[in-house]
């Protein structure tokens, strides 16, 4: 502690002796040291990036395509000022180089050795070549292993020694044995095998396709593309057949829908169409000559008033030769046999006259050359369709169907007129783009369909309907008769009951009148009259009913109406 106090006192002493300039310089040095330490820490803590391809990529479009592919694989990448793409680690770089090479995204002109970051310093050429081969082999192996579909890979590269004569030089060869990951389709995916083959060609100078052998762990050759030619041919034939079938189905659906709307679905049930197509690729060069238009057709006129000319004269040359003389034919020097034929020799030294006119004309014509690629092309289209006529029931004067002797309903068949058949044929021809030059054929017939079962079902349904109508009619008649009988029975019963009730009331009224008369006589005679309990009860009830009727006349009227309705 004493030492520390002395140190602080010394620093304070020095600090007091320093000038303002010295203090500013000290603060500047401390600040620079702190900033340097912070920069060192930040640089050391930054993630380490490795170049994807050591050569810079100057083409911006190629660089953007590579960056887009890296983004699709979820790889974080940066581009430095020199144009070099950097990724996180070497494993990622090897994996992405394999993918970029397989998809031809490595820019043209890139140094093929730049993707293999291997520097070897050797003493002799032999050791240098051995190390170079080992480095290439190791890097190619690492790149193939980095692929998602490969579990393991073994690469062997053979670089023969240089010979004096090119005819004696052995080619560079390479063999690769890959072990696919479980569930991978690399052994059946031709594009992925071609990617490995391109990676080898890109990495090894002078390596050709025929000197590369790629097999799986069982020894099956995967890059025998020449042996797959027959399989490719069968696949191509299968795709072509499917394309023709789809085209036939489209034509059939369109034509059948149009005919069924016109003749109904029941009369046009099916349509047969066959399309013959030429799937070969053809290059056709055509040169045609056509007239020159002097005056185009006037728009709006009902006729063609254009003027055409087969050719136009560009220049003419006329020459005239006239000769008169003896017709002397020189035969060369004296003493030498001439070369004049005998037929002309007889005409020598005769008087003659020759007149010759020559006319040369240069004509200008229109010509056009056309070059086109044809594949595929329809060779021939054949269509056949059968349309049934119209069937109608035969009715009698009462508008009831006529029943034949065998119990079936008679029908009348009306065939399609020839005009309708021709119109239908023209409709189909226009629908398929008919061309007589290529041999197209459209056939439309009117042949009766076999409707035996259909007519039998219709007759059975009609007779069942008639039987049902008869049964319903009989049931309704019986029901009406039953209702009438019930109404008559009810009416007669009510009438009998009403009469019985009237008789009973009349008898009761008479008995009551007789009783009242007897009571009056007994009262007049002063006799002691005894009334029975039933009689007294009946009198009390009558008196109660009379009082209630007086007090509640509406309720009494409603009660009477109810009794009348019940009766």
């Amino acid at each position: 502690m004493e030492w520390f106090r002395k140190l602080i006192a010394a620093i304070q002493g020095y600090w007091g002796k320093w000038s303002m300039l010295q203090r500013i310089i000290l603060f500047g040095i401390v600040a620079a040291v702190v900033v340097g330490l912070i920069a060192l820490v930040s640089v050391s803590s930054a993630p380490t990036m490795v170049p994807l391809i050591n050569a810079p990529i100057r083409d911006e479009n190629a660089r953007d395509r590579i960056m887009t592919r890296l983004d699709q694989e979820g790889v974080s990448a940066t581009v430095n000022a020199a144009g070099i793409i950097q990724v996180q680690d070497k494993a990622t770089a090897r994996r992405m180089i394999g993918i970029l090479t397989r998809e031809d995204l490595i820019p043209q002109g890139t140094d093929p050795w730049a993707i293999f970051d291997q520097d070897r310093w050797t003493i002799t050429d032999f050791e240098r070549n051995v190390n170079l081969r080992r480095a290439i082999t190791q890097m190619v192996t690492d790149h193939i292993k980095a692929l998602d579909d490969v579990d393991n890979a073994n690469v062997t590269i053979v670089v023969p020694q240089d010979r004096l004569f090119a005819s004696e030089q052995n080619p560079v060869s390479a063999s690769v044995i890959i072990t696919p990951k479980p569930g991978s389709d690399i052994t059946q995916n031709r594009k992925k095998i071609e990617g490995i083959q391109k990676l080898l060609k890109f990495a090894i100078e002078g390596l050709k396709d025929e000197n590369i052998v790629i097999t799986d762990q069982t020894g099956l050759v995967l890059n025998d593309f020449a042996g797959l030619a027959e399989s490719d041919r069968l696949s191509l034939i299968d795709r072509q057949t499917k394309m023709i079938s789809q085209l036939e189905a489209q034509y059939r659906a369109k034509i059948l829908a149009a005919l069924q709307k016109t003749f109904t679905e029941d009369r046009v049930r099916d349509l047969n169409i066959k399309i013959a197509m030429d799937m070969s690729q053809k290059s056709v060069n055509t040169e045609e000559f056509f007239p020159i238009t002097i005056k185009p057709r006037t728009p709006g006129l009902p006729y063609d008033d254009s003027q055409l000319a087969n050719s136009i004269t560009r220049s003419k040359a006329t020459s005239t030769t006239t000769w008169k003389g003896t017709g002397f034919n020189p035969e060369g020097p004296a003493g030498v046999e001439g070369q004049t034929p005998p037929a002309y020799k007889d005409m020598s030294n005769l008087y003659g006259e020759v007149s010759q006119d020559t006319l040369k004309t240069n004509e200008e014509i229109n010509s056009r050359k056309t070059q086109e690629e044809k594949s595929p092309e329809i060779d021939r289209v054949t269509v056949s369709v059968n349309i049934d006529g119209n069937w109608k029931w035969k009715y009698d004067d009462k508008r009831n169907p006529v029943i034949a002797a065998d119990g079936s309903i008679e029908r009348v068949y009306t065939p399609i007129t020839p005009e309708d058949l021709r119109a239908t044929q023209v409709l189909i021809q226009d629908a398929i783009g008919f061309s007589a030059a290529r041999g197209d054929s459209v056939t439309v017939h009117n042949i009766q369909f076999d409707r035996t079962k259909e007519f039998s079902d219709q007759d059975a349904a009609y007779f069942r309907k008639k039987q049902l109508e008869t049964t319903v009619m009989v049931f309704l008649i019986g029901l009406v008769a039953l209702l009438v009988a019930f109404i008559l029975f009810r009416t007669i019963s009510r009438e009998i009951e009403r009469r019985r009730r009237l008789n009973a009331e009349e008898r009761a009224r008479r008995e009551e009148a007789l009783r009242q008369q007897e009571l009056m006589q007994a009262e007049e005679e002063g006799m002691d009259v005894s009334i029975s309990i039933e009689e007294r009860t009946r009198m009390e009830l009558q008196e109660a009913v009379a009082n209630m009727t007086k007090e509640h006349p509406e309720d009494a009227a409603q009660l009477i109406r109810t009794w009348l309705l019940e009766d």
Side-chain angles (χ1 to χ4, degrees), residues 193-209:
I193 299 299
E194 289 179 345
I196 297 177
Q197 188 166 302
K198 289 179 182 179
L199 179 64
L200 293 170
K201 291 172 58 180
F202 192 70
I204 304 172
E205 183 181 4
L207 184 61
K208 298 182 179 179
D209 293 338

Side-chain angles (χ1 to χ4, degrees), residues 318-331:
T318 303
S319 64
T320 302
T321 304
T322 303
W323 173 83
K324 293 181 179 181
T326 60
F328 175 75
N329 293 324
E331 296 184 357

Side-chain angles (χ1 to χ4, degrees), residues 274-499:
K274 179 62 179 177
I275 299 177
M277 298 188 69
D278 183 7
M279 295 294 180
S280 60
Q281 294 183 353
K282 296 180 180 179
S283 178
V284 180
N285 297 324
T286 305
E287 183 177 5
E288 58 178 334
F289 300 92
F290 54 94
I292 298 175
T293 302
I294 304 299
K295 177 181 177 297
R297 178 177 179 176
T298 303
L301 288 180
Y303 58 90
D304 187 3
D305 63 340
S306 61
Q307 296 179 7
L308 304 178
N310 293 332
S311 62
I312 296 177
T313 302
R314 296 191 63 180
S315 62
K316 288 184 179 181
T318 303
S319 64
T320 302
T321 304
T322 303
W323 173 83
K324 293 181 179 181
T326 60
F328 175 75
N329 293 324
E331 296 184 357
V336 179
E337 183 68 21
Q339 301 298 322
T340 303
Y344 290 98
K345 189 176 291 187
D346 295 339
M347 299 176 61
S348 63
N349 299 323
L350 298 177
Y351 179 80
E353 182 177 351
V354 176
S355 178
Q356 181 180 4
D357 294 332
T358 303
L359 176 63
K360 294 183 178 179
T361 305
N362 293 325
E363 299 287 337
E364 184 70 26
I365 59 176
N366 276 345
S367 63
R368 177 169 51 219
K369 293 183 179 180
T370 305
Q371 183 177 1
E372 57 183 346
E373 298 288 338
K374 293 184 177 180
S375 175
E377 184 179 9
I378 297 178
D379 284 345
R380 189 167 183 258
V381 180
T382 58
V383 181
S384 65
V385 61
N386 180 34
I387 304 175
D388 194 9
N390 194 10
W391 291 91
K392 292 184 179 180
W393 286 4
K394 186 176 181 180
Y395 294 92
D396 55 12
D397 298 338
K398 298 181 180 180
R399 300 301 299 168
N400 293 324
V402 178
I403 308 301
D406 58 353
S408 62
I409 300 175
E410 290 189 8
R411 292 172 173 82
V412 178
Y413 179 76
T414 303
I416 301 177
T417 61
E419 292 78 8
D420 291 341
L421 291 178
R422 285 193 295 271
T424 304
Q425 184 177 5
V426 172
L427 176 66
I428 298 175
Q429 289 177 352
D430 293 340
I432 65 173
F434 180 83
S435 174
R438 67 186 182 192
D440 293 351
S441 174
V442 176
T443 305
V444 181
H445 288 293
N446 175 210
I447 303 175
Q448 296 183 14
F449 291 165
D450 183 10
R451 299 177 178 268
T452 303
K453 186 177 183 305
E454 180 183 352
F455 289 165
S456 177
D457 295 339
Q458 289 180 359
D459 294 346
Y462 173 76
F463 289 126
R464 283 196 301 270
K465 180 180 178 182
K466 295 296 291 184
Q467 185 178 5
L468 180 61
E469 290 177 355
T470 303
T471 304
V472 173
M473 184 62 67
V474 172
F475 175 76
L476 292 177
I477 292 174
L479 183 60
V480 170
L482 183 61
L483 290 175
V484 172
F486 178 75
I487 293 172
L488 292 176
F489 174 77
R490 185 68 174 171
T491 303
I492 294 173
S493 299
R494 287 186 176 182
E495 183 64 22
I496 294 173
E497 181 66 22
R498 187 180 66 81
R499 292 182 179 182

Side-chain angles (χ1 to χ4, degrees), residues 82-336:
I84 297 178
I85 300 176
Q86 295 179 335
V87 295
Q88 297 174 354
D89 49 31
K90 291 185 178 181
T92 304
R94 288 194 294 267
R95 181 171 68 88
M96 292 311 302
I97 287 175
I99 295 175
L100 296 177
T101 305
R102 182 181 67 194
E103 299 182 2
D104 290 333
L105 293 179
I106 301 295
Q108 296 293 333
T110 302
D111 184 7
W113 308 107
I115 65 173
F116 305 103
D117 188 13
Q118 295 287 335
D119 294 331
R120 295 292 184 267
W121 297 93
T122 58
I123 300 174
T124 64
D125 292 340
F126 176 78
E127 292 178 347
R128 183 181 295 109
N129 293 334
V130 170
N131 291 336
L132 177 62
R133 188 185 310 169
R134 290 177 59 189
I136 295 174
T137 303
Q138 183 61 38
M139 294 303 294
V140 172
T141 303
D142 293 340
H143 280 83
I144 295 176
K145 287 182 179 180
L147 298 177
D148 294 336
D149 298 292
V150 179
D151 191 15
N152 193 10
N154 187 1
V155 180
T156 301
I157 301 174
V158 178
V159 181
Q161 295 181 354
D162 294 336
R163 298 297 180 91
L164 179 61
F165 299 102
S167 60
E168 298 178 356
Q169 181 65 43
N170 294 325
V172 180
S173 61
S175 64
V176 180
I177 302 175
I178 62 174
T179 302
K181 289 184 179 180
S184 173
D185 63 339
I186 190 172
T187 56
Q188 291 85 24
N189 195 322
R190 179 172 178 173
K191 185 176 180 181
K192 294 180 180 180
I193 299 299
E194 289 179 345
I196 297 177
Q197 188 166 302
K198 289 179 182 179
L199 179 64
L200 293 170
K201 291 172 58 180
F202 192 70
I204 304 172
E205 183 181 4
L207 184 61
K208 298 182 179 179
D209 293 338
E210 58 269 17
N211 298 324
I212 300 175
V213 178
I214 303 175
T215 65
D216 60 2
Q217 72 275 16
T218 62
L220 178 64
V221 179
L222 303 179
N223 65 329
D224 185 14
F225 302 131
L228 298 176
E230 183 65 20
S231 176
D232 295 340
R233 187 181 70 85
L234 295 177
S235 300
L236 178 61
I237 293 174
D238 184 54
R239 291 195 300 270
Q240 292 174 352
T241 304
K242 289 182 179 179
M243 185 178 69
I244 294 175
S245 300
Q246 292 176 356
L247 186 60
E248 290 176 350
Q250 293 176 0
Y251 275 97
R252 183 183 298 108
K254 292 181 180 179
I255 299 174
L256 194 61
L259 295 179
Q260 287 179 348
K261 290 180 180 178
T262 304
F263 298 100
T264 71
E265 296 182 2
D266 184 59
R267 295 172 60 188
V268 184
R269 299 181 180 178
D270 197 7
L271 181 141
N272 299 317
I273 183 170
K274 179 62 179 177
I275 299 177
M277 298 188 69
D278 183 7
M279 295 294 180
S280 60
Q281 294 183 353
K282 296 180 180 179
S283 178
V284 180
N285 297 324
T286 305
E287 183 177 5
E288 58 178 334
F289 300 92
F290 54 94
I292 298 175
T293 302
I294 304 299
K295 177 181 177 297
R297 178 177 179 176
T298 303
L301 288 180
Y303 58 90
D304 187 3
D305 63 340
S306 61
Q307 296 179 7
L308 304 178
N310 293 332
S311 62
I312 296 177
T313 302
R314 296 191 63 180
S315 62
K316 288 184 179 181
T318 303
S319 64
T320 302
T321 304
T322 303
W323 173 83
K324 293 181 179 181
T326 60
F328 175 75
N329 293 324
E331 296 184 357
V336 179

